[in-house]
Amino acid sequence: MIPVDSVQDVTLEDRLRGAIWGQFVGDAAALGTHWIYDLEEMAKLYPDGVNGFEAPLPGHYHYGKKPGDQTHYGDGALVLLESIAKEGQFDAKAFGRSLVEHFQPQSYSGYLDKATRGTLENYAKFLQNNREQEFDFQQGADDDETAAGSRLASLVARYWKDRSLLERVEQATRVCQNNATAIAYMKFNALLLAELFRGRDVHTALHGVEDQILEVAPKLGQELRGKSRQALEETLNGVVEATLLFGQSCPLPHSFPSSIHALLKHTHDFETAVLATLRAGGDSAGRAAMLGAWLGARRGLDGIPKAWRSRLTNRERISVATEKIVSDQRP
């Protein structure tokens, strides 16, 4: 049974803050257990259970990072957040230049996912063959995984009531993921965040997006609506069981309905929801970032445990940039 989704006295500004902070907190909480697919192995590695902010162990993808750090997803999300705050708007070229600079292999010691590696390679090839032209940063990797989903909250917070929202979402996605599936799923993601910013409860928000998505993503709208409804149909089952059914892996056709299911199952409690998706293994950081943004948008900043927010290594940078974006919404 799903608890009643009742939230009162949450201001719009707190929903905007909550979405951005929730995205970063969800990602950071997953750092140590990210991409552990075998749940028996995870239980052996963490015999006291998964409680968030575990330290990456030797041999792990994120080994060398410490609790409170972001995964590579969160590192990219911070680049986008600070780019929007600095420019006062989303600029694909400005974001792309900052992203390329940040993730250069000679300076970035963390993991590089397919989307980032492919984008760096495409950028390097362009520079070799077009020395007199400027790269448009719309030629990202052909990738349908969770990179854009893990960083989208700041862009939607900036443009949620703007007619250009979905155009901006497509541009932001193409920076690293020039892929039709990724773009369609990110439009659903953005519309869901926008509905939650308007104060809709989760079920009403999802139904509203299911109606909109057929028009804004005609080729994949039926698939997306089907994924959302499948997630609802599985709410009698736990998050681990549903995630194993939909798929623990990174591609959005697997990770997105798994995330929606966790949202529906634990819409009343940020910590419970995030820990549930972490304990399901696989691409938990990608799912937790999306889930954290949605729950933050629904429940506001105070709905995210303060103790978790205070653990983030980059909390001051996140706070400064977030407040700039929130202030830009004021008349």
Side-chain angles (χ1 to χ4, degrees), residues 243-279:
T243 301
L244 292 174
L245 174 67
F246 291 124
Q248 300 165 291
S249 60
C250 306
L252 287 160
H254 302 295
S255 57
F256 202 74
S258 298
S259 304
I260 290 177
H261 175 271
L263 172 68
L264 288 164
K265 189 70 176 180
H266 297 296
T267 188
H268 63 296
D269 191 297
F270 184 98
E271 182 174 344
T272 300
V274 169
L275 289 179
T277 204
L278 266 54
R279 291 165 182 167

Side-chain angles (χ1 to χ4, degrees), residues 82-252:
E82 292 188 323
S83 176
I84 294 172
K86 178 183 178 181
E87 302 294 329
Q89 62 182 346
F90 171 72
D91 183 309
K93 292 179 182 178
F95 169 50
R97 287 192 294 267
S98 295
L99 198 76
V100 165
E101 180 180 358
H102 182 81
F103 283 108
Q104 285 298 324
Q106 60 268 31
S107 58
Y108 183 73
S109 59
Y111 180 81
L112 295 178
D113 62 3
K114 178 183 175 183
T116 306
R117 291 197 309 272
T119 300
L120 292 172
E121 290 167 2
N122 291 349
Y123 178 64
K125 289 177 183 177
F126 179 88
L127 292 183
Q128 289 177 353
N129 300 318
N130 301 274
R131 295 185 180 278
E132 301 302 321
Q133 299 180 40
E134 185 179 23
F135 192 55
D136 63 2
F137 283 102
Q138 293 294 278
Q139 312 300 321
D142 183 10
D143 175 79
D144 68 350
E145 299 183 356
T146 53
S150 67
R151 65 174 66 125
L152 201 65
S154 59
L155 183 138
V156 183
R158 174 63 179 81
Y159 288 102
W160 69 277
K161 59 183 178 180
D162 194 295
R163 291 182 179 179
S164 70
L165 171 64
L166 295 184
E167 179 184 353
R168 305 276 186 169
V169 167
E170 180 165 345
Q171 291 172 349
T173 304
R174 287 190 187 278
V175 170
C176 277
Q177 293 176 275
N178 189 16
N179 175 278
T181 297
I183 292 166
Y185 276 76
M186 289 308 98
K187 288 181 178 180
F188 192 107
N189 187 355
L191 290 171
L192 178 54
L193 280 169
E195 289 294 294
L196 294 170
F197 288 151
R198 293 184 175 95
R200 311 278 196 259
D201 67 83
V202 168
H203 285 81
T204 301
L206 280 168
H207 291 320
V209 178
E210 288 172 8
D211 291 339
Q212 297 175 65
I213 199 64
L214 295 176
E215 179 179 352
V216 303
K219 292 184 178 180
L220 288 167
Q222 288 287 1
E223 175 184 321
L224 278 156
R225 187 161 69 169
K227 295 290 185 183
S228 178
R229 293 181 177 180
Q230 287 170 21
L232 179 61
E233 291 168 1
E234 288 297 318
T235 49
L236 290 177
N237 296 317
V239 171
V240 171
E241 185 177 356
T243 301
L244 292 174
L245 174 67
F246 291 124
Q248 300 165 291
S249 60
C250 306
L252 287 160

Side-chain angles (χ1 to χ4, degrees), residues 13 16-17 20 84-85 88 157-158 161 319-331:
E13 290 186 353
L16 300 177
R17 293 184 181 100
I20 296 172
I84 294 172
R158 174 63 179 81
K161 59 183 178 180
S319 179
V320 169
T322 297
E323 292 309 307
K324 174 62 167 61
I325 288 174
V326 170
S327 69
D328 286 344
Q329 303 293 301
R330 297 175 185 136

